[in-house]
Amino acid sequence: STAATGDSLIRTLLGVTCIQTDVATMLLEKLPEFMDATFLVPALEAISNMNLDDGLKEDVVKLVLQQVESADVEDLPVLLRFLLQTAVQANATWVVRELRKNLNFISGSDVRAAAPDRKQKAKVSSGSSEASILEALRTGLRFHSTMCDTFLKEIRNVCSGTGNCGSEHKVVDIWVLLVVHSFGGQNHKLVESILRKKILEEKLTIKLLERSLVAAAMLPFSAFINNLLDYLDGFQDNQLQKLFEVFSSLAVTACRQDEPQQPDGDDPGRSEMQDQLHIVIRKQLSHADGRFKRIGIIGGVTLACRLAME
């Protein structure tokens, strides 16, 4: 194939020591032309394996970042993975801010998906594209503590006392939280703390969470969502209502997404998330302590109201 031929040619040329520098320079100069071509993957892979000086690395990162906003959806995972794995301490904050600005993810349920902005091709709407982007985030951030820490710092500071209130949270913020949480380690509890705080301060809206946690993203990260239910006894009534509104909406959304895929004999009207909510609500309602019954009542009424809207 053309892609295989291009990959083989680039690797062969880079193996010739006397022309390696010239080939590297050519790849950098021609990189914008590769963005919609079959040479994109081998070109970026070749560049990432080169021992470039800091100046050339900075040029490459700038070139790739310039392509993110207008890139075809199928090219985004390659660009994203490259940027995450190539970024260093000196440019990590800049890379994260540019990615948050230019990556605009939307789900199939978002009305804007029906009429995409042709000037911003980096809007993802299909389930397969969402899965590819999530996998790129996972592989790009795994074992890269600098980028994980930088993303978490930027997300935590959005519209906070130290952040820019002119900025808003995006789908990519939720996805990064999900991915970093799945790694475990020292950031596990930090991610849960950030998400709880953002929800209770109403910095993360129900609509944003619904767009972010569609079926493609929810199932692999169900433990992340369920862990939040372990902290219910510390919330006030209005906070509990907000939290149950979010999870009830997510449960219904997951049910709607999964319904066509239910095997014969399965109940198409339920989802894993909804089952988990039922378990939590029944557990709280049956508790002897009135504080926990209060949680069950608020959760049951909130879920019932959300289901009644369907």
Side-chain angles (χ1 to χ4, degrees), residues 152-165 169 198:
L152 292 182
K153 180 180 178 181
E154 288 297 309
I155 293 171
R156 186 168 47 189
N157 288 341
V158 171
C159 209
S160 69
T162 58
N164 178 13
C165 280
H169 281 292
K198 294 289 185 178

Side-chain angles (χ1 to χ4, degrees), residues 261-275:
Q261 305 171 15
Q262 292 286 343
D264 292 340
D266 283 0
D267 180 4
R270 297 279 288 274
S271 68
E272 180 183 345
M273 183 67 184
Q274 191 170 324
D275 286 340

Side-chain angles (χ1 to χ4, degrees), residues 219-234:
L219 295 181
F221 302 107
S222 58
F224 170 73
I225 297 169
N226 293 336
N227 281 341
L228 291 179
L229 299 176
D230 294 335
Y231 302 91
L232 296 177
D233 57 323

Side-chain angles (χ1 to χ4, degrees), residues 196-257:
R196 286 198 308 274
K197 188 172 187 293
K198 294 289 185 178
I199 290 176
L200 296 180
E201 292 178 349
E202 300 185 43
K203 300 298 191 303
L204 299 177
T205 65
I206 293 177
K207 180 177 289 188
L208 174 64
L209 289 168
E210 282 184 327
R211 292 212 315 268
S212 307
L213 299 173
V214 291
M218 182 180 294
L219 295 181
F221 302 107
S222 58
F224 170 73
I225 297 169
N226 293 336
N227 281 341
L228 291 179
L229 299 176
D230 294 335
Y231 302 91
L232 296 177
D233 57 323
F235 294 156
Q236 301 298 319
D237 288 359
N238 63 323
Q239 296 174 328
L240 282 170
Q241 183 177 355
K242 289 186 178 71
L243 195 63
F244 275 112
E245 283 176 357
V246 170
F247 289 125
S248 297
S249 186
L250 291 174
V252 172
T253 300
C255 177
R256 211 162 40 225
Q257 295 276 349

Side-chain angles (χ1 to χ4, degrees), residues 131-171:
S132 296
I133 294 294
L134 275 168
E135 185 57 30
L137 283 171
R138 196 200 306 265
T139 56
L141 290 174
R142 187 180 292 277
F143 311 122
H144 201 330
S145 60
T146 295
M147 291 305 289
C148 288
D149 293 344
T150 303
F151 254 118
L152 292 182
K153 180 180 178 181
E154 288 297 309
I155 293 171
R156 186 168 47 189
N157 288 341
V158 171
C159 209
S160 69
T162 58
N164 178 13
C165 280
S167 175
E168 294 182 350
H169 281 292
K170 293 187 163 190
V171 169

Side-chain angles (χ1 to χ4, degrees), residues 3-21:
T5 301
D7 190 348
S8 177
L9 177 60
I10 289 173
R11 295 182 189 279
T12 300
L13 291 173
L14 285 172
V16 181
T17 305
C18 64
I19 63 171
Q20 194 173 60
T21 302

Side-chain angles (χ1 to χ4, degrees), residues 90-122:
N91 62 12
T93 299
W94 170 58
V95 170
V96 166
R97 289 176 179 174
E98 287 298 305
L99 287 175
R100 290 190 66 255
K101 181 174 70 174
N102 293 316
L103 285 173
N104 299 283
F105 302 108
I106 56 178
S107 72
S109 61
D110 191 318
V111 294
R112 291 176 300 166
D117 183 350
R118 296 297 181 184
K119 294 181 179 179
Q120 285 189 309
K121 295 159 74 175

